[in-house]
């Protein structure tokens, strides 16, 4: 429905010979279509409760996305933003250690603030966590059942992490555009 409305606006802009606005609207349409098509990931074991967490960062901010998947369906999407210290490199590909620390802190904070029934049996992370065994043990104690923390390398779980990372990147880009506009 939103794409249809944007198409109408784009056509009006073209009729008015406002090609710059038409191009901007066209880009919005393409982004919406891309967002929708990129997020179709199915996992074969849809009985497992899992969370997937990933981040995207620039020199100022890290945007973290946590997807909550229950019975094979995305039931929640949480977003977090962290300031990146100017003294440390941005936590992006190639800086996995810093990124793992950020992801672990977000997970600790998140699971500290939820009921034990909300803790999934599987947590997929984009980067290795510095203390994943300690975190998994703490979560097991809170949940009363085993909790596994994985860094998926291939197939559908890795695709899920890539999708969560793309969402984090979209959010980081959106946030940056808002900051630039406010200046």
């Amino acid at each position: 429905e939103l794409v249809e409305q944007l198409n109408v606006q784009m056509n009006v802009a073209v009729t008015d010979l406002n090609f710059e606005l038409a191009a901007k609207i066209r880009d919005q349409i393409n982004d919406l279509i891309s967002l929708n098509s990129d997020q179709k990931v199915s996992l074969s074991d849809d009985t497992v409760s899992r969370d997937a967490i990933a981040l995207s960062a620039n020199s100022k901010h890290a945007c973290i996305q946590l997807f909550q998947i229950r019975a094979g369906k995305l039931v929640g999407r949480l977003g977090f933003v962290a300031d990146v210290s100017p003294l440390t490199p941005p936590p992006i590909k190639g800086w996995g250690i810093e990124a793992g620390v950020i992801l672990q802190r977000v997970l600790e904070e998140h699971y500290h603030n939820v009921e034990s029934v909300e803790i999934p049996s599987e947590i997929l992370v984009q980067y290795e966590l510095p203390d994943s065994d300690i975190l998994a043990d703490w979560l097991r104690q809170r949940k009363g059942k085993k909790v596994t923390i994985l860094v998926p390398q291939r197939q559908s779980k890795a695709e899920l992490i890539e999708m969560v990372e793309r969402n984090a990147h979209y959010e980081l880009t959106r946030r940056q555009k808002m900051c630039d506009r406010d200046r």
Side-chain angles (χ1 to χ4, degrees), residues 39-52:
Q39 295 191 18
K40 293 178 182 167
V41 174
S42 60
L43 298 170
S44 57
D45 53 348
D46 63 0
T47 59
V48 176
S49 289
R50 65 175 47 94
D51 285 354

Side-chain angles (χ1 to χ4, degrees), residues 19-51:
F19 300 116
E20 191 172 308
L21 177 61
K24 189 181 271 189
I25 295 170
R26 179 205 58 217
D27 292 345
Q28 290 174 339
I29 292 169
N30 289 337
D31 287 347
L32 280 171
I33 291 169
S34 171
L35 238 179
N36 196 23
S37 65
D38 286 348
Q39 295 191 18
K40 293 178 182 167
V41 174
S42 60
L43 298 170
S44 57
D45 53 348
D46 63 0
T47 59
V48 176
S49 289
R50 65 175 47 94
D51 285 354

Side-chain angles (χ1 to χ4, degrees), residues 1 9-10 23-24 31 36 57 62 70 112 120 133 168 172 182:
E1 187 177 317
Q9 291 175 10
M10 184 176 66
K24 189 181 271 189
D31 287 347
N36 196 23
R70 306 295 183 265
H112 178 74
D133 292 340
L172 181 66
D182 291 343

Side-chain angles (χ1 to χ4, degrees), residues 45-63:
D45 53 348
D46 63 0
T47 59
V48 176
S49 289
R50 65 175 47 94
D51 285 354
I53 186 168
L55 64 77
S56 181
N58 60 25
S59 60
K60 296 178 183 174
H61 303 286
C63 285

Side-chain angles (χ1 to χ4, degrees), residues 9-161:
Q9 291 175 10
M10 184 176 66
N11 289 333
V12 169
V14 168
T15 303
D16 293 344
L17 302 178
N18 190 345
F19 300 116
E20 191 172 308
L21 177 61
K24 189 181 271 189
I25 295 170
R26 179 205 58 217
D27 292 345
Q28 290 174 339
I29 292 169
N30 289 337
D31 287 347
L32 280 171
I33 291 169
S34 171
L35 238 179
N36 196 23
S37 65
D38 286 348
Q39 295 191 18
K40 293 178 182 167
V41 174
S42 60
L43 298 170
S44 57
D45 53 348
D46 63 0
T47 59
V48 176
S49 289
R50 65 175 47 94
D51 285 354
I53 186 168
L55 64 77
S56 181
N58 60 25
S59 60
K60 296 178 183 174
H61 303 286
C63 285
I64 300 102
Q65 293 285 304
L66 187 142
F67 281 23
Q68 299 168 309
I69 298 131
R70 306 295 183 265
K73 295 190 178 7
L74 179 65
V75 297
R77 187 188 106 185
L78 305 173
F80 307 90
V81 177
D83 290 331
V84 177
S85 165
L87 302 176
T88 59
I92 54 176
K93 289 197 186 315
W95 297 103
I97 296 169
E98 180 71 17
V101 169
I102 291 171
L103 292 177
Q104 177 147 344
R105 285 184 185 152
V106 168
L107 288 172
E108 289 168 355
E109 177 94 13
H110 171 67
Y111 293 123
H112 178 74
N113 293 315
V114 300
E115 297 293 323
S116 60
V117 296
E118 293 181 53
I119 298 172
S121 56
E122 185 177 85
I123 302 169
L124 305 177
V125 296
Q126 178 186 21
Y127 294 103
E128 198 70 44
L129 306 180
D131 297 316
S132 63
D133 292 340
I134 294 170
L135 179 60
D137 190 49
W138 175 67
L139 291 170
R140 180 192 53 75
Q141 290 174 13
R142 286 206 63 216
K143 182 178 177 67
K145 294 181 182 175
K146 182 180 178 184
V147 176
T148 306
I149 299 174
L150 301 169
V151 181
Q153 301 298 317
R154 56 176 109 80
Q155 297 178 333
S156 57
K157 291 179 182 179
E159 290 174 8
L160 176 60
I161 285 294

